[in-house]
Amino acid sequence: MMIHEYLRTLVSFAFVLGVLVTIHELGHYLAARWRGVHVEVFSLGFGPALFRWHDRSGTEWRICPIPLGGYVRPHGFEDPEDATPEQKAAWIPGRTFHDKSVASRAIVILAGPVFNFLLAIVLFTLLFSTAGQPSVRNEIASVVSNGAAAAAGVLPGDVIRRIGTHQVTGVEDVQGTVMAEPGAQTTLTVRRNGQDMDLPITIGSVTDSASAKPHGQLGVMFATEVGKPMSVPHAVVAGVEETWKVSVQTLQGVWQILTGQHTAKDLGGPLKIAQLSGQVAQYGFASLLSFMALLSVNLGLINLFPVPLLDGGRLVFYAIEALRGRPVSKRIQEISFQAGFAVLAGLFLFSTFNDLSSFGLFKWIASLVG
């Protein structure tokens, strides 16, 4: 049984990351071809190539053993100042990346994240047109024992109408209001059996260990339901709206971590993604596609962050070049890329540490030592 779970996790992780990386790099590749840039290498994964072949345009396609990303190498991507005489001699006139306008270079870089957003829209559209769009209803499905709601007498089936004098508009409104009022003594108005009831309640308080800031907690689970399959046009619209919604929620979550409103322990890395891929896969292919859509949005957003080495960092340099009429100095670029590498390496190590901690590895090691 354990071997079966490990195998499912491995296959699911390879499938999820493989699709996301392929689509991201395909965006760079197609944009480069569109802007007249020859692509030398299209690699899925890192490390020595396990398989390689050349297409008619001369691009070398690689499949490598480390499935943590990939890359596209445009022809003439290196700066002319850094190129060796041999590299310069091999340049194809009119097909090099560095010779293209700022706009063309920006399009090639931007296409990767854009394709991730497009993939999310396609996946959400497919899900909504075949299985329907899931939604959360403002109806209590279950009450956590010993929680604030249980102490107040909230029952499954209750619908929350007001918190104090605040008329709630939905589940997100309930959650936002409660989180902002830890420990508050107020009244919860619920609709039960067709009648409104006022229940005195003291909102629970939970403190994040990282930020030391408390937030409110009600102690309930809301009911979820899956709607009917939509027509394709409606599913496309809903897919765009869902992609936008996930993007906004992701950015809000990042902002909450940066401002200390939420603990950074929630940051997950590749190990967590692998674990979640395996867990989600057991609920069916539709659940796995939904998970992939969420990850695709996250991958697109992360790559747009203004961090050197990421697509967003390069776009910042191109924006400055467009405004100044000349590229950012070589020295500033080198320092920025070194700083960007340090930031990304730190985030990778931190997220991996979080993953291992959540798996209980360090507690297990401590128990062996003790």
Side-chain angles (χ1 to χ4, degrees), residues 5 7 9 33 41 67-68 94 119 125 164 206 214 306 323 366:
E5 292 180 357
L7 182 61
T9 297
R33 294 289 301 273
V41 178
L68 296 178
L119 173 62
T125 299
V206 178
L323 293 174

Side-chain angles (χ1 to χ4, degrees), residues 271-357:
L271 297 179
K272 191 68 173 180
I273 294 175
Q275 181 194 39
L276 291 175
S277 298
Q279 291 176 349
V280 171
Q282 67 181 326
Y283 296 111
F285 194 63
S287 297
L288 188 62
L289 289 184
S290 179
F291 179 62
M292 288 173 59
L294 297 176
L295 282 183
S296 192
V297 171
N298 279 264
L299 181 60
L301 287 174
I302 289 173
N303 271 279
L304 288 178
F305 287 172
V307 177
L309 290 184
L310 294 180
D311 296 334
R314 293 191 179 277
L315 290 174
V316 170
F317 286 145
Y318 294 155
I320 295 174
E321 180 179 346
L323 293 174
R324 298 174 68 236
R326 62 182 186 277
V328 177
S329 71
K330 192 67 178 176
R331 178 60 177 166
I332 292 178
Q333 290 190 46
E334 290 176 351
I335 295 175
S336 299
F337 285 134
Q338 291 171 359
F341 176 80
V343 169
L344 294 178
L347 284 174
F348 177 81
L349 293 175
F350 181 73
S351 62
T352 302
F353 177 84
N354 281 350
D355 292 346
L356 296 175
S357 297

Side-chain angles (χ1 to χ4, degrees), residues 231-248:
S231 65
V232 174
H234 284 90
V236 171
V237 173
V240 173
E241 292 175 345
E242 189 68 17
T243 300
W244 174 259
K245 178 181 176 182
V246 172
S247 301
V248 171

Side-chain angles (χ1 to χ4, degrees), residues 164-187:
T165 59
H166 176 66
Q167 189 88 22
V168 300
T169 58
V171 173
E172 293 182 355
D173 191 14
V174 172
Q175 293 172 334
T177 302
V178 169
M179 287 190 67
E181 300 183 4
Q185 294 182 347
T186 184
T187 301

Side-chain angles (χ1 to χ4, degrees), residues 162-245:
R162 287 192 303 275
I163 300 176
T165 59
H166 176 66
Q167 189 88 22
V168 300
T169 58
V171 173
E172 293 182 355
D173 191 14
V174 172
Q175 293 172 334
T177 302
V178 169
M179 287 190 67
E181 300 183 4
Q185 294 182 347
T186 184
T187 301
L188 198 67
T189 302
V190 300
R191 172 63 63 91
R192 181 183 300 171
N193 299 325
Q195 295 182 340
D196 286 351
M197 299 180 59
D198 292 332
L199 304 176
I201 187 172
T202 300
I203 296 177
S205 179
V206 178
T207 302
D208 289 333
S209 58
S211 63
K213 291 184 178 181
H215 63 263
Q217 190 175 71
L218 206 54
V220 299
M221 295 291 291
F222 289 96
T224 59
E225 63 180 5
V226 178
K228 297 180 180 179
M230 301 178 177
S231 65
V232 174
H234 284 90
V236 171
V237 173
V240 173
E241 292 175 345
E242 189 68 17
T243 300
W244 174 259
K245 178 181 176 182

Side-chain angles (χ1 to χ4, degrees), residues 12-34:
S12 301
F13 177 66
F15 174 75
V16 168
L17 209 59
V19 171
L20 297 186
V21 170
T22 299
I23 295 299
H24 180 91
E25 299 304 332
L26 187 62
H28 292 313
Y29 172 81
L30 292 177
R33 294 289 301 273
W34 174 42

